Amino acid sequence: MEGFMTQKLPVLDLVRDAWMLAFKALRPSLFVMLALLVAGGVYTFAVGPGSALGDAAPAIAALVVFVVGIEFSLVTYRVMLGTRHGDRLRLVHANLSVYVAFLFVGVFIGFFLLTLPGILLKASGRTDLNADTPPDVVQQALVDMLPSAYGAILIVACVAGALALCYMAIRLLLIGAATISLRRTMVFRTWGWTKGHVISLSLAALATHLAPFAVAVLINWGLHGVWGQSGVGAFLSGFVGMLLLVPFLLAGHGLAVAALRRLQPEQDPTG
């Protein structure tokens, strides 16, 4: 349990400070936030009706979302930390490093979870399945297997994979805020700072990450089909979808800053 909890962090104080920081950053970040909403709309247009413009359209739109997202994080962290400094390139470096780390770990977890159902289906006695079996037949076989012990193994494996990624996300929670605060690229340098605080940070993240994200997803799901199939509809779908994620983004940045204030060593050993 040493990696999960040592000295307990004040969860309620973390949540309170995170949302206070989110409201503090709301007005100063309005302009770049609007740019992020537009970028989100452009992206959904590019992957939908705009895909007729060429295969590069979705990639270009995704790059625009990333660049504007970096600017949003920079502005937000500056306001929350009460500073004017902060390096865009270092923030880009930190974010890309984390994406690569998650991709590396995710590929291994994903490969295991993709091969496991086939192994379990064979072990359960479904020898009639092969490479030529229609996907709907395989899917029904998986559904039939779920109530069994083999299905339980699959469910446990999926939950374990998701928890592993969540654990990694919590341990790397501070990288953006620390990169701006210390003016150095901080990725795994902050790994030790969160050691022993996974449970406290996870509980706080329920109120700053999971809850606003779940609300955004539910509302967006309820709006599914409202916008139609036109180019304008695709743009509005992405615009509103990104708008619904604003509380999640601001509170997530707020939790990182609130936690950094409590966990950053007085004498940074990484320097």
Side-chain angles (χ1 to χ4, degrees):
M1 287 292 292
E2 184 183 359
F4 283 85
M5 176 174 289
T6 52
Q7 184 179 1
K8 187 177 180 181
L9 284 173
V11 175
L12 293 181
D13 288 349
L14 281 174
V15 173
R16 180 201 62 200
D17 292 351
W19 282 105
M20 288 179 63
L21 288 167
F23 283 110
K24 177 182 178 182
L26 181 60
R27 184 174 179 180
S29 64
L30 279 178
F31 180 78
V32 69
M33 189 186 302
L34 178 60
L36 186 60
L37 303 185
V38 172
V42 171
Y43 176 77
T44 54
F45 170 79
V47 298
S51 59
L53 298 176
D55 296 336
I60 294 173
L63 179 61
V64 170
V65 172
F66 175 76
V67 171
V68 178
I70 290 294
E71 190 66 23
F72 173 81
S73 291
L74 178 65
V75 171
T76 301
Y77 280 135
R78 280 175 172 174
V79 173
M80 291 180 174
L81 291 165
T83 182
R84 293 184 178 181
H85 63 67
D87 192 322
R88 289 176 181 83
L89 290 181
R90 286 193 173 96
L91 193 56
V92 168
H93 181 195
N95 277 270
L96 289 178
S97 298
V98 170
Y99 295 161
V100 171
F102 270 94
L103 178 63
F104 181 78
V105 175
V107 164
F108 281 95
I109 293 176
F111 178 77
F112 173 73
L113 293 179
L114 285 174
T115 57
L116 183 60
I119 296 172
L120 292 175
L121 284 171
K122 288 290 185 181
S124 66
R126 291 300 301 263
T127 57
D128 56 323
L129 300 177
N130 53 58
D132 298 325
T133 305
D136 57 329
V137 176
V138 176
Q139 183 176 2
Q140 186 58 48
L142 284 172
V143 172
D144 294 339
M145 185 185 69
L146 288 179
S148 69
Y150 298 100
I153 294 174
L154 179 60
I155 292 172
V156 169
C158 291
V159 171
L163 289 177
L165 293 177
C166 290
Y167 174 82
M168 187 173 173
I170 290 295
R171 292 299 302 270
L172 296 175
L173 176 69
L174 307 181
I175 62 161
T179 295
I180 299 303
S181 177
L182 299 175
R183 286 183 270 188
R184 294 201 306 275
T185 302
M186 307 291 289
V187 184
F188 284 99
R189 294 180 179 185
T190 66
W191 184 268
W193 301 359
T194 55
K195 182 179 180 181
H197 302 290
V198 172
I199 293 178
S200 297
L201 292 174
S202 297
L203 291 174
L206 293 178
T208 59
H209 289 69
L210 183 61
F213 183 80
V215 169
V217 170
L218 287 174
I219 295 176
N220 209 24
W221 180 79
L223 294 173
H224 180 70
V226 170
W227 314 112
Q229 302 299 319
S230 66
V232 174
F235 175 84
L236 289 175
S237 175
F239 185 95
V240 174
M242 190 66 74
L243 176 63
L244 293 171
L245 288 174
V246 166
F248 160 76
L249 296 173
L250 287 175
H253 284 65
L255 179 60
V257 172
L260 179 68
R261 290 174 174 172
R262 292 170 169 83
L263 297 178
Q264 179 182 339
E266 291 185 10
Q267 297 295 329
D268 176 21
T270 66

